[in-house]
Amino acid sequence: MNNDTTPAMATRLDGDAVEVAVSTDMVKRGLFAAPVMIAISAVIWGADGAWSAAFAIGLVLVNFMLSAALISYTAKISLGLMMGATLFGYLIRLGLIMLAVLLVKDAGWISLPALGATIIVTHLGLLFWEMKYVAISLAHPGLKPARP
Amino acid sequence: MEAFAILAQTGLTGDEAKAAAAAGSAGFAYGLAAIGPGIGIGYLVGKSVEAMARQPEAAGMVRTTMFLGIAFTEALALIGFVVFILIGL
């Protein structure tokens, strides 16, 4: 009996953790853009806005890293576990974000409009920024665009 | 209506009752806003797992697209969360 045949379906993934690479890129870009976001918030909402923007950027970056770590870790074990971890990870990460905001909502330095606006702008901005490079890579796999 | 009747029995003033109703409504809206992305992520990851299981050689591309898709879908829930913190907190 020949045992060297390739399995018809993969049940786990042992390749590179591409999510970690993508999220690391996004974190680098987030840190690169953070001073600009904080400065804009400071102009609009003052010092409270600046602190809130910094907190919001931290939340978004940690959220991306957690998501990537969860997917890459569980993909090495099984695809079914990866699916479960992704779905429950979504709930857990939303809960963690809510907990983090509830803990600071009454702090003297918090500005909720600045916090909310920065969360949305940073999250979507980093995604669109990263998507530009991913789209180029998928269309031209050998192109390897230079990373900022 | 029953909720308003209960609020009336608690002896809250008009503004307090309005604030309590706003907080309850914001929480309810956030719950609804989290359901849609939950369904979307389930569908997205399910299809991605199917694609990776059938074609493991394309797993890198599928995982990249899946990760970005999850993050985009999650943005909808984050928008709901931001509306919740601005109205409900």
Side-chain angles (χ1 to χ4, degrees), chain A residues 64-82:
Chain A
F64 279 137
M65 291 303 290
L66 262 181
S67 173
L70 205 61
I71 293 174
S72 61
Y73 181 74
T74 52
K76 287 183 171 57
I77 299 171
S78 88
L79 287 178
L81 180 65
M82 186 193 78

Side-chain angles (χ1 to χ4, degrees), chain B residues 49-63:
Chain B
V49 166
E50 189 181 323
M52 286 186 277
R54 287 177 185 276
Q55 249 184 313
E57 67 273 15
M61 199 171 75
V62 174
R63 283 170 76 174

